[in-house]
Amino acid sequence: MKPARWLLLLATLLLIGAGRPWHWNLPLGEAPPPSPVGNAMSAAKVELGRRLFYDADLSANGTLSCAGCHEQHRGFADGNRTRPGVHGDPGLRNVPGLANVAWLPRLTMADPAITSLEAQVAVPLLGEHPVEMGMKGLEAELPRRLGADACYRRMFARAFPDRRGRIDIATVSAALAAFERTLISRDSPYDRDRRGQADALSMSARQGAHLFADKGCASCHAGRDFSDGAYHRLEPATATDPGLAEKTGLTSDAGRFRTPPLRNVAVTGPWWHDGSAQTLDAAILRHGQQLTDAERIAITAFLDSLTDQALLTDPRFAMPDEACGKKL
């Protein structure tokens, strides 16, 4: 076959692979999360993003991947109060879970400007306060490291034919964002109860759901993912972490943090913006509500009913075993 025809055939095959649509596995009637213009979902993009999510080569010294802080069995949270960065810099805030992150209007605890998953990637990857993955100033390392792998070159070409398979911060961010949009949690006992499944909730969890509403918890933990996306102050600000004030410069914003979503909250501890609540019960108490022991137990049972075992165990979200037909 002549070289020109071979190149044309290769380009056609890449376009076909890249164009294979992503199949959303959602409950009947549920609309998929939005994707921004310029980063449409595709199977090739999600596959690439999944591999990148588990690849420690995205960090300065090759020791920390996204999954190193976002563990599937913990609802894609961490389990530590805060997580040190690749150079040992102490973490500033507790690692949040990623369930249903595609629907969140704001994606960090205290920066209202970050509203897209693509933009959020820069926080751990390039951030300096604190340093997490430590790639600031090493942006050229990504195409060098990833481009040295023939399989990665093939995966980027399939995922981004419109960008000629370019490997850089923008395409890495776009692929990671595509994978993160698939981390959907809609099969907890709470969800099954809402869909009419008998006995999906225990009596204690059902009582806790009523208390959660009656005690005003739902005024901030609102909506399907239990967050109003707004910033609130529950305790006095500290010098260690000024919260929203770090971005706005307003004294009135000191100590204000975004309401955390509660999907899979029972497995994402420790809790609070700094991970200082070691138990879910302690986190409930710090909200200042006057609750009896029985009421706290019931609310905790309700929060436990938000745990989606399917998300925590689905092999499609785990570290891939192979890429390009070969074992990793």
Side-chain angles (χ1 to χ4, degrees), residues 93 106 108-112 220 228-238 241-248 250-260 272-273:
R93 295 175 186 145
R106 297 186 177 103
T108 69
M109 292 185 187
D111 187 349
C220 294
D228 60 2
Y231 301 90
H232 303 279
R233 183 190 304 105
L234 295 181
E235 295 179 338
T238 66
D241 189 346
L244 183 61
E246 181 180 19
K247 295 298 180 182
T248 67
L250 300 175
T251 303
S252 58
D253 284 336
R256 294 176 65 196
F257 296 91
R258 185 203 62 180
T259 305
W272 225 249
H273 66 271

Side-chain angles (χ1 to χ4, degrees), residues 112-178:
I114 299 178
T115 59
S116 76
L117 288 169
E118 289 78 4
Q120 192 279 331
V121 170
V123 176
L125 199 65
L126 306 174
E128 298 180 279
H129 180 62
V131 172
E132 296 181 54
M133 300 176 82
M135 291 300 289
K136 180 71 172 180
L138 300 174
E139 292 86 349
E141 273 292 286
L142 279 181
R144 187 190 69 78
R145 291 180 187 178
L146 302 180
D149 183 326
C151 179
Y152 259 136
R153 294 197 301 271
R154 178 180 170 187
M155 293 179 78
F156 273 90
R158 291 181 67 237
F160 298 103
D162 55 326
R163 308 187 199 189
R164 298 185 178 182
R166 189 169 67 246
I167 303 174
D168 58 14
I169 292 289
T171 52
V172 166
S173 299
L176 285 169

Side-chain angles (χ1 to χ4, degrees), residues 208 211-212 215 217 221 234-235 260 262 265-266 270-272 276-304 306:
L211 287 167
F212 190 84
K215 296 292 183 177
C217 309
H221 291 287
L234 295 181
E235 295 179 338
L262 297 182
V265 65
W271 298 268
W272 225 249
S276 57
Q278 292 299 304
T279 67
L280 200 50
D281 190 60
I284 292 170
L285 283 170
R286 286 171 69 171
H287 284 72
Q289 290 283 358
Q290 297 299 313
L291 300 170
T292 66
D293 290 346
E295 287 173 332
R296 291 204 318 276
I297 290 171
I299 290 175
T300 300
F302 166 65
L303 295 177
D304 191 56
L306 304 179

